[in-house]
Amino acid sequence: MAENEKNPAAPERRVLDAGALRALSHPLRVRIFDILAQEGPQTASTLAEILGESSGATSYHLRALARHDLIREVEGERAGRERWWERPEGGIVYDSRAVEGSPAGEAALQVAVAEAMRRRHEELMEFFSGRIDKEPAEWVDASSSMTSGISMTAEQTADLIRRIETLIDEAADTYRGQKGEGVRRVSVRADVFPLSNLPNKKETGS
């Protein structure tokens, strides 16, 4: 992708195939996938404690994710008989062109995207509709939800997306692996999409 050409050191983004999409179409797997990104390596038991599930269930879903290389075992790390699991570096991409012409693939894409969007909305609402009131003032000031309607062409919109992605990639590269006092995982979201065209009242006579 263009971002990797500009920054060869940036982790590669993976375009998901139908199998990986099916693996990410389950709500609990999406939660596990997110926790591994946010909290680092986990075992089936630690995930079970976080999620309020049985370790048998989390182990089953970990294996399903691992079959499609969405997660991997941490080399040289074991907790007794339990394995530690991690997410590889790099992002994932939901791209309809990767499954175009495959009814099963297109169906898997729809379900996986719907589940990912549902989880994102859930996190957004959980923070701004309640948890923000319990956060320190410095984190309230460091939180934002913005929406803006801009009249642009497809080419101009694609250019804006590239500039946003570059800015986010630069921050990710700068702070990757950072630890210490005051450091927390921060969700950075940029939703850019065309709005539906409304009928022109003058043209329709309404």
Side-chain angles (χ1 to χ4, degrees):
M1 296 180 69
E3 291 77 9
N4 294 324
E5 291 171 7
K6 289 181 287 187
N7 182 3
E12 188 174 338
R13 288 186 174 91
R14 175 186 172 186
V15 178
L16 300 182
D17 60 18
L21 289 167
R22 282 193 294 272
L24 281 175
S25 63
H26 191 285
L28 191 54
R29 289 178 200 159
V30 173
R31 287 284 286 120
I32 290 171
F33 196 61
D34 286 346
I35 289 169
L36 291 177
Q38 295 164 5
E39 305 297 333
Q42 303 289 327
T43 68
S45 293
T46 62
L47 286 166
E49 185 175 352
I50 293 169
L51 295 166
E53 299 283 342
S54 70
S55 58
T58 54
S59 179
Y60 170 79
H61 291 300
L62 283 166
R63 291 195 301 272
L65 292 169
R67 276 197 297 273
H68 297 280
D69 298 320
L70 290 163
I71 63 172
R72 65 189 178 195
E73 186 177 356
V74 181
E75 292 185 13
E77 289 290 338
R78 288 261 178 166
R81 296 175 59 187
E82 280 201 287
R83 294 180 284 182
W84 287 88
W85 298 92
E86 65 181 358
R87 271 185 62 170
E89 285 191 359
I92 59 172
V93 178
Y94 299 92
D95 191 339
S96 59
R97 291 167 294 190
V99 294
E100 191 172 10
S102 165
E106 291 172 355
L109 175 66
Q110 281 189 327
V111 175
V113 169
E115 186 54 42
M117 293 299 103
R118 185 197 65 79
R119 178 62 192 154
R120 286 179 62 179
H121 181 69
E122 190 177 77
E123 288 177 330
L124 187 71
M125 291 299 294
E126 184 264 338
F127 180 78
F128 282 104
S129 67
R131 186 160 56 83
I132 191 171
D133 297 331
K134 303 176 180 65
E135 291 285 350
E138 62 181 358
W139 281 105
V140 174
D141 293 339
S143 305
S144 176
S145 179
M146 296 180 288
T147 300
S148 179
I150 309 172
S151 300
M152 295 189 293
T153 65
E155 183 179 358
Q156 292 162 345
T157 305
D159 178 64
L160 175 62
I161 290 171
R162 282 191 292 269
R163 285 187 282 145
I164 292 172
E165 288 180 340
T166 297
L167 184 62
I168 294 173
D169 284 345
E170 287 174 356
D173 290 341
T174 300
Y175 303 119
R176 179 171 289 111
Q178 180 176 224
K179 299 183 184 302
E181 187 177 353
V183 176
R184 294 172 61 175
R185 293 287 294 186
V186 175
S187 177
V188 182
R189 305 177 182 200
D191 300 317
V192 183
F193 57 91
L195 299 174
S196 298
N197 288 322
L198 296 177
N200 186 300
K201 290 187 177 182
K202 286 186 177 180
E203 290 179 0
T204 60
S206 57

